[in-house]
Amino acid sequence: MMDDSVVAELEKIQKNGSEQPVLFDKDDYYKTERSPFKRQALICLGVFMLNLAAGSTAGIAAVLIPQLTNDLGRNKFTTELESWVAAISCLALFFGNLMSGYLMERFGRRISLLFVSLFFLLGWCIIGFANNILHLVLFGRFITGICQGWLGPLGPVYVGEITTPIYRGFFLASLSLGIAVGVFLSHLFGTFLHWSYACQLCGLFPLTAGIILFFAPESPAWLASINRIDDCISSFQWFRGASPAMKLELEKMLAEQSKRDKSKSKFETLKENIKKPEFWKPLCIMVTFFAITQLSGVNVICAYSTDMMKKLMGKRAKDSHAYAAMLSIDVLRCVSLIIACILLRRSGRRPMSLFSGVFTSLSLLGLATYLYLVDKNIIHHISPFISLSLIAFYIVVSNMGISLLPWNMVGEVFAAETKGIGSGISVMMTSISFFATVKTAPAMFESIGHHGTYMFYGLSTTFGTLFLYFCLPETKDKTLLQIEEYFRYGKKRNTTEKDVIDI
């Protein structure tokens, strides 16, 4: 039986609805007098600005490390300190992930995002005004790293819950684009400005995000989970409009919420939920998918771009050439993600993941083989054209799928009651892998060479792609409830024909 309050609210929204289930139809969305697309886009812009700050956190090390080396000298700024400046934000990701799931469930998505904005701004200010004091630089990097980890599950969850299914893939993909643009802007600022000024400019991203999100409504799914039904309906209609398909989705969400046993404690409910297939199945998939992304080396290139470009261009390369190559790679990354965002409207998550995984593996293995032949003097002189073409191809194909889609799907695949803990654990895995790959990269370059490092990343991506082939489902154009039911019942369940709400 449903709560009386829920029944009353459903009766209100059913007055103009149909008696039979209505499948989500793009035409219904456009028939509404005031399309909510602009509202969704505006609020997603706020989350996008936070992702610019997160991308800047990942990218600033590539310009911070060379400038600190010049300012302090190699005697004071050792290889060990260099690796910590690059990796400490990655270590802090873990603590941000631990906090994120609890805080988004306890205080809501919107309030959590506002706190992320505030602490992001604080972290960038500490770095920007550190004045070559390494302890302050490391402290500021740690704070921005916590915020990056805090945002990791929070941003996709909020965007996934407020957006319409036909646009959800696009908006979620734009968050990964925000990371790439943030990396590019941090590199651009650091190329032409002192690192302190570059960090101060990066602080403008969370400031802008906080202003936008201050005026945003809370997630309707979270409001429903704490039984604030009136607020849930108002928020849902603000974000989604009032088309028949939207009314049906709202009815289903409230009906699902009413079925939950509220007599049990949160801990007992959590223990029951984590045993359900709609929790542990997507958790296994997402944990592995995030690990595959990091083991492909995508963030190693962000952190050590200048040094890696010098190696790929040969011993005669000048610093200015390396910076130019770094910025070119950044632009290529952004363009690739823009194309991927567009393709996600037409193509599914699964085919794009498999395409990206296969060609990312081939590009890494090809680059490793070429550098090995150069190292063994079988090829006497490195050709910047060949090496940079291979790395450019790698950047394109990796950002068309395996770098993008885990962040896209983590906001889709978990049920509402386990979204916080599920997305938190999933992103925690990428934090651990992120820290491990970035921290160990300098040692791997020295011990097994660049060719050995690329070979390791290529083989890891190959095995990961095989896993995705057998385990990754398709979520394109499905409502969050349909995705939940896929994991609950399996492929044979036809979710588009069964969902009649019994009041």
Side-chain angles (χ1 to χ4, degrees):
M1 292 291 294
M2 287 190 178
D3 294 345
D4 291 340
S5 61
V6 177
V7 173
E9 296 300 337
L10 284 177
E11 287 174 348
K12 291 179 185 177
I13 63 177
Q14 280 184 318
K15 286 181 179 179
N16 297 320
S18 62
E19 296 179 357
Q20 298 298 323
V22 181
L23 298 181
F24 184 82
D25 188 352
K26 190 183 297 185
D27 292 336
D28 287 335
Y29 186 70
Y30 291 114
K31 286 176 183 177
T32 57
E33 292 182 3
R34 298 180 64 185
S35 169
F37 173 80
K38 292 181 180 179
R39 294 174 180 175
Q40 296 175 24
L42 175 63
I43 304 307
C44 288
L45 176 63
V47 185
F48 179 86
M49 296 302 293
L50 283 176
N51 276 266
L52 290 183
S56 300
T57 300
I60 197 68
V63 292
L64 182 59
I65 289 171
Q67 291 194 34
L68 283 174
T69 303
N70 291 333
D71 291 347
L72 301 175
R74 179 52 76 181
N75 290 332
K76 290 185 178 180
F77 193 62
T78 62
T79 302
E80 180 66 16
L81 276 175
E82 174 187 330
S83 68
W84 274 112
V85 168
I88 192 168
S89 63
C90 311
L91 176 64
L93 284 170
F94 177 80
F95 299 100
N97 297 151
L98 284 178
M99 297 164 28
S100 185
Y102 170 76
L103 291 176
M104 80 167 79
E105 296 298 340
R106 176 68 178 81
F107 299 105
R109 285 49 159 153
R110 173 181 168 272
I111 295 298
S112 294
L113 286 167
L114 289 174
F115 276 115
V116 171
S117 304
L118 178 62
F119 283 99
F120 244 141
L121 179 60
L122 175 64
W124 280 116
C125 288
I126 291 173
I127 303 171
F129 294 100
N131 195 26
N132 282 346
I133 301 174
L134 283 178
H135 291 92
L136 284 179
V137 172
L138 291 171
F139 181 57
R141 291 275 291 158
F142 189 81
I143 291 177
T144 56
I146 285 178
C147 293
Q148 190 179 6
W150 190 350
L151 178 66
L154 175 60
V157 166
Y158 183 61
V159 171
E161 289 177 346
I162 68 172
T163 51
T164 310
I166 59 170
Y167 291 117
R168 190 175 63 231
F170 172 80
F171 283 126
L172 286 169
S174 72
L175 301 185
S176 293
L177 176 62
I179 298 288
V181 174
V183 170
F184 167 68
L185 291 176
S186 66
H187 289 173
L188 183 66
F189 297 157
T191 298
F192 297 103
L193 299 171
H194 188 265
W195 62 265
S196 60
Y197 297 126
C199 292
Q200 292 167 26
L201 285 175
C202 290
L204 295 176
F205 302 143
L207 178 62
T208 306
I211 293 171
I212 295 173
L213 293 169
F214 180 80
F215 298 99
E218 182 52 86
S219 160
W222 183 76
L223 291 170
S225 72
I226 59 171
N227 210 34
R228 288 169 55 181
I229 304 302
D230 289 337
D231 292 336
C232 168
I233 293 173
S234 298
S235 174
F236 192 95
Q237 291 179 342
W238 192 91
F239 279 118
R240 303 289 196 90
S243 69
M246 294 301 100
K247 289 179 181 178
L248 178 66
E249 187 177 347
L250 177 59
E251 289 175 12
K252 288 181 180 180
M253 182 174 66
L254 295 177
E256 283 290 320
Q257 178 61 31
S258 69
K259 294 176 185 176
R260 293 168 191 161
D261 189 351
K262 296 179 177 62
S263 64
K264 297 181 180 178
S265 68
K266 289 186 177 180
F267 181 72
E268 291 175 331
T269 302
L270 179 62
K271 280 202 309 183
E272 284 189 2
N273 286 334
I274 62 177
K275 296 176 183 178
K276 296 177 180 178
E278 58 264 38
F279 173 75
W280 61 261
K281 283 182 180 180
L283 180 66
C284 293
I285 293 171
M286 294 313 303
V287 163
T288 307
F289 204 168
F290 273 116
I292 294 166
T293 299
Q294 297 305 320
L295 290 174
S296 69
V298 291
N299 285 304
V300 172
I301 292 180
C302 293
Y304 302 103
S305 296
T306 49
D307 291 337
M308 295 174 74
M309 292 304 107
K310 288 178 184 178
K311 175 67 177 178
L312 294 174
M313 295 172 73
K315 297 179 180 179
R316 297 180 181 180
K318 298 178 181 179
D319 287 348
S320 59
H321 295 162
Y323 277 102
M326 175 186 69
L327 292 175
S328 299
I329 290 295
D330 291 341
V331 171
L332 190 61
R333 182 186 294 113
C334 294
V335 172
S336 302
L337 283 167
I338 291 172
I339 295 172
C341 290
I342 296 170
L343 289 178
L344 275 172
R345 292 288 313 282
R346 300 179 180 275
S347 180
R349 279 56 152 169
R350 179 178 165 82
M352 287 186 66
S353 298
L354 297 178
F355 167 84
S356 176
V358 169
F359 285 99
T360 299
S361 302
L362 292 176
S363 60
L364 285 168
L365 295 175
L367 183 59
T369 302
Y370 178 72
L371 293 179
Y372 176 79
L373 296 176
V374 172
D375 189 58
K376 296 301 180 182
N377 287 322
I378 298 174
I379 297 176
H380 297 293
H381 300 287
I382 191 168
S383 168
F385 176 78
I386 296 176
S387 58
L388 291 179
S389 295
L390 286 170
I391 201 71
F393 182 68
Y394 160 77
I395 291 293
V396 171
V397 294
S398 63
N399 284 285
M400 296 288 282
I402 60 170
S403 177
L404 161 74
L405 289 170
W407 299 102
N408 187 300
M409 297 182 71
V410 75
E412 298 180 312
V413 295
F414 291 104
E417 63 266 28
T418 57
K419 191 161 288 188
I421 186 173
S423 59
I425 294 173
S426 300
V427 179
M428 194 182 301
M429 173 53 66
T430 202
S431 303
I432 296 170
S433 304
F434 193 168
F435 173 73
T437 54
V438 173
K439 184 67 174 68
T440 58
M444 290 180 69
F445 290 146
E446 290 183 4
S447 59
I448 61 177
H450 281 250
H451 63 272
T453 305
Y454 292 130
M455 182 65 69
F456 172 77
Y457 294 151
L459 292 174
S460 300
T461 308
T462 300
F463 290 118
T465 303
L466 289 174
F467 171 85
L468 296 178
Y469 176 79
F470 289 106
C471 300
L472 188 70
E474 183 56 75
T475 61
K476 182 178 180 292
D477 290 341
K478 295 181 179 179
T479 68
L480 299 181
L481 281 174
Q482 287 173 334
I483 296 169
E484 177 182 341
E485 288 161 356
Y486 166 83
F487 287 113
R488 183 184 300 159
Y489 301 113
K491 294 180 181 179
K492 295 181 180 180
R493 180 78 169 189
N494 189 347
T495 59
T496 63
E497 296 180 358
K498 73 171 188 65
D499 290 309
V500 180
I501 298 179
D502 183 16
I503 300 180

